[in-house]
Amino acid sequence: MSYFTVLKLEKEPFSTSPDPAFFYHSTEHSTALNRLEIAIRLKRGLSLVLGDVGTGKTTLCRALLQSFGNEENDFIFHMILDPSFKSEYQFLTHLNKLFGVSPFFRSSIDQREVIEKYLFKKCVEEHKTVVLLIDEGQKLTLPQLEILRTLLNYETNENKLLQLVIFAQMELLPRIKTVRNFMDRISLKYILNPLDIRETEALIHFRLKQAGFNQIRNIFSLEAIQKIYDSTQGYPRQIAKLCHNAMEYVVMGNYETVTGQLIDQLIEKDKLWT
């Protein structure tokens, strides 16, 4: 029995992978995306997006990258998915590899200097905008934050040479407050909050539509949506997980609708694992 055939879908609607095609433009996520685009285009330097686990930070990151897809000649994007490096030197080495600088450097000072030369060449001589996106920013250590602070010092009379966007969980906030002058360099601070009940319903319908569902009937009853919201409190990742489990039961049980009763059963089963 094919999951996609039964539901008449083209793609998995409730995957937890950060596919920008399934980026739901809630009020908060759209605002964050628009403000990040403006900050990058105006070369404002450092932007910080914070949010609890499952609020959609990684998907927002990918959507931001995609929004500049047709302007690759003007913008150079680099991304760090996980900044878990054992030392300052290792972190700088990785940055140099990202920037395409391959020669061996004996010291961290040498590596900083070559990064500065790279940024000057790209931004001043070639008139490009260099953007570094860091996901899982809560893993950044104090030495790494100090390196980033130093890189943000590289600037012309008009703007910063490096545009840095950090996506992190809330636990990063007290750490960056201990780094001297780091908070002062943040041009954009944004906190992603969970969805409300209206946006939870809209997210579910949006993901189904993006996956190819074009039937008139609603798979999820209003009672089911309310129970999904009550259980997940509007966190997109948790919504996706619960909806995926519900869709599996629809296929296996040959049901036409996800009911509130089915959601209750799934929630009770999930409690056995917690």
Side-chain angles (χ1 to χ4, degrees):
M1 180 186 299
S2 170
Y3 179 94
F4 297 111
T5 300
V6 172
L7 298 172
K8 296 181 173 60
L9 300 174
E10 299 168 4
K11 300 173 71 175
E12 160 61 65
F14 298 111
S15 170
T16 54
S17 298
D19 186 346
F22 287 88
F23 175 70
Y24 171 62
H25 288 257
S26 72
T27 300
E28 288 217 0
H29 289 79
S30 292
T31 300
L33 180 60
N34 291 334
R35 291 188 64 189
L36 286 170
E37 284 192 44
I38 291 171
I40 290 172
R41 294 183 188 279
L42 295 181
K43 302 179 181 179
R44 299 278 292 166
L46 174 59
S47 298
L48 177 64
V49 178
L50 299 177
D52 290 330
V53 176
T55 48
K57 299 183 296 298
T58 300
T59 307
L60 173 61
C61 177
R62 303 300 170 83
L64 176 64
L65 182 62
Q66 186 184 65
S67 68
F68 286 86
N70 297 326
E71 303 176 67
E72 57 185 19
N73 292 329
D74 299 317
F75 295 86
I76 303 173
F77 277 84
H78 303 283
M79 183 182 295
I80 296 177
L81 300 177
D82 184 351
S84 298
F85 299 97
K86 295 181 180 179
S87 67
E88 173 185 349
Y89 184 84
Q90 192 180 75
F91 182 49
L92 282 166
T93 299
H94 184 77
L95 286 175
N96 277 306
K97 287 181 180 179
L98 277 182
F99 296 153
V101 182
S102 56
F104 175 76
F105 300 100
R106 291 184 178 277
S107 70
S108 296
I109 294 176
D110 291 336
Q111 291 185 320
R112 286 193 181 94
E113 287 180 353
V114 80
I115 290 175
E116 183 177 12
K117 290 178 181 177
Y118 164 82
L119 293 174
F120 185 87
K121 181 177 183 293
K122 292 298 180 182
C123 301
V124 178
E125 297 178 2
E126 299 180 13
H127 306 290
K128 308 288 188 182
T129 300
V130 178
V131 186
L132 175 61
L133 307 177
I134 299 180
D135 200 9
E136 299 291 342
Q138 70 278 357
K139 297 181 181 180
L140 288 166
T141 63
L142 290 176
Q144 290 171 349
L145 290 170
E146 183 60 37
I147 289 172
L148 295 175
R149 187 190 69 82
T150 301
L151 298 185
L152 290 167
N153 286 337
Y154 304 152
E155 57 189 337
T156 65
N157 291 335
E158 292 81 25
N159 46 58
K160 302 287 186 181
L161 294 183
L162 177 65
Q163 309 312 308
L164 174 62
V165 185
I166 300 175
F167 300 86
Q169 295 173 24
M170 297 298 297
E171 64 196 70
L172 178 66
L173 187 56
R175 195 177 312 141
I176 61 178
K177 289 181 178 179
T178 66
V179 179
R180 182 172 57 89
N181 297 331
F182 194 89
M183 289 293 291
D184 294 342
R185 284 170 168 75
I186 303 176
S187 63
L188 168 61
K189 307 181 185 79
Y190 199 90
I191 295 178
L192 283 178
N193 292 304
L195 309 178
D196 59 24
I197 176 63
R198 179 187 60 81
E199 291 176 324
T200 297
E201 180 179 9
L203 168 66
I204 293 171
H205 294 321
F206 168 77
R207 278 182 164 255
L208 284 168
K209 182 178 179 181
Q210 287 297 99
F213 185 77
N214 57 11
Q215 299 183 42
I216 298 177
R217 69 183 180 88
N218 291 324
I219 294 181
F220 289 81
S221 70
L222 292 178
E223 182 186 16
I225 290 173
Q226 180 65 57
K227 289 182 179 293
I228 290 169
Y229 173 74
D230 292 341
S231 174
T232 65
Q233 291 299 294
Y235 283 85
R237 185 184 302 170
Q238 295 303 317
I239 294 170
K241 287 181 178 179
L242 186 51
C243 287
H244 172 77
N245 292 339
M247 295 287 276
E248 282 188 344
Y249 271 81
V250 166
V251 172
M252 293 185 297
N254 197 26
Y255 300 125
E256 292 187 357
T257 306
V258 175
T259 63
Q261 182 180 9
L262 173 57
I263 297 299
D264 283 337
Q265 292 173 2
L266 293 174
I267 293 171
E268 286 302 314
K269 287 185 177 182
D270 190 58
K271 289 179 179 178
L272 296 175
W273 297 93
T274 59

